[in-house]
């Protein structure tokens, strides 16, 4: 009995090496698990479920659906890159969309799973942007525009954010300890697993006398990896 956690794959047809790693992961590592949690940013961007028939998007859904049919529960969480991924595409993947955060009893240990961007409270500009793009009315209005226009808009936002990131300090783009502690406190001191920061590590937080473990998942920009958790604990695995 074990679960597997991944995030920040940033799958895109422009990155064939990582796409190949992903399909190999679906064929080799994932089938033995009880559950696969994708904690956000499965895709480099997602313009809407009406793009699900594009060959690349369809192939990812087919791969996940095959895994799900084989008996692995596939749980998808939004990241900042794919927050418009909807129920229709999740169904096609044989997956269930789960909210951020989600608290789960994982092989005997209460575990809080998050994408991780909400913990980066030092990045005030990003948090303001996040609040806007998570507004349901804003999302509805955006999704009412043609798919091609949405895609262009997203790519423009992305290049703007890449530019602004270069001016931000490394500390601003990491989680803030206070936000981590607040999340642990609210959920009664669970283990925490998240991605987003691309700084894979195991941290231990002492909060109100409780020792809490925090695992940060690796991104898949160069090679990728996952976290494997069972009743004995979690182990990072590089691909
Ligand atoms: Mn992210």
């Amino acid at each position: 009995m074990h679960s597997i956690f991944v995030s920040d794959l940033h799958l895109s047809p422009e990155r064939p090496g990582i796409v190949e790693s992903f399909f190999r992961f679906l064929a080799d590592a994932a089938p033995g698990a009880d559950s696969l949690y994708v904690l956000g940013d499965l895709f480099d961007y997602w313009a809407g479920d009406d793009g699900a028939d594009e060959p690349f998007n369809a192939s990812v859904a087919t791969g996940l659906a095959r895994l799900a049919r084989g008996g692995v529960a596939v749980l998808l969480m939004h990241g900042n890159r794919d927050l418009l991924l909807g129920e229709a595409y999740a169904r096609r993947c044989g997956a269930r969309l789960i909210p951020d955060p989600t608290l789960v009893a994982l092989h005997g240990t209460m575990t809080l799973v998050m994408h991780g961007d909400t913990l980066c409270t030092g990045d005030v500009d990003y948090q303001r942007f996040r609040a806007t793009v998570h507004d349901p009315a804003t999302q509805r209005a955006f999704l009412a525009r043609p798919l091609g226009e949405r895609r262009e808009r997203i790519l423009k936002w992305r290049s703007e954010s890449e530019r602004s990131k270069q001016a931000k300090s490394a500390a601003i783009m990491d989680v803030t300890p206070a936000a981590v502690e607040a999340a642990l406190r609210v959920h009664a001191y669970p283990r925490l697993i998240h991605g987003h920061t691309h700084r894979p590590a195991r941290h231990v937080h002492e909060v109100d006398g409780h020792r809490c473990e925090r695992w940060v998942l690796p991104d898949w920009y160069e090679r990728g990896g996952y976290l494997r958790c069972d009743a004995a604990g979690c182990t990072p695995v590089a691909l």
Side-chain angles (χ1 to χ4, degrees), residues 119 121 171 174-184 205 207 214:
L119 299 170
T121 53
D174 200 356
V175 302
T176 54
V180 170
E181 285 165 20
L184 294 171
H205 296 266
V207 189
R214 174 170 68 98

Side-chain angles (χ1 to χ4, degrees), residues 8 41 80 115 196:
D8 305 286
D41 291 354
N80 50 304
H115 176 55
H196 181 67

Side-chain angles (χ1 to χ4, degrees), residues 147-188:
L147 180 62
E149 189 188 319
R150 273 177 266 147
R151 193 182 294 119
E152 269 170 40
R153 186 65 232 174
I154 288 170
L155 292 175
K156 188 154 170 281
W157 274 326
R158 192 172 62 175
S159 62
E160 284 167 9
S161 109
E162 290 305 321
R163 251 199 316 281
S164 77
K165 263 195 241 166
Q166 287 165 9
K168 287 176 188 170
S169 73
I172 278 178
M173 290 190 298
D174 200 356
V175 302
T176 54
V180 170
E181 285 165 20
L184 294 171
R185 191 171 285 125
V186 160
H187 295 280

Side-chain angles (χ1 to χ4, degrees), residues 191-192 194 199-205 211-218 227 232-236:
R191 171 168 62 197
L192 173 58
H194 70 83
R199 297 170 199 214
R202 174 184 180 270
H203 300 272
V204 174
H205 296 266
R211 274 174 79 81
C212 303
E213 199 179 33
R214 174 170 68 98
W215 288 95
V216 186
L217 302 171
L227 189 68
C234 297
T235 313

Side-chain angles (χ1 to χ4, degrees), residues 8 10 39-41 78-81 115-117 126 195-198:
D8 305 286
H10 294 263
L39 299 184
D41 291 354
H78 289 138
N80 50 304
R81 302 296 199 105
H115 176 55
D117 55 335
Y126 170 71
H196 181 67
T197 61
H198 302 195

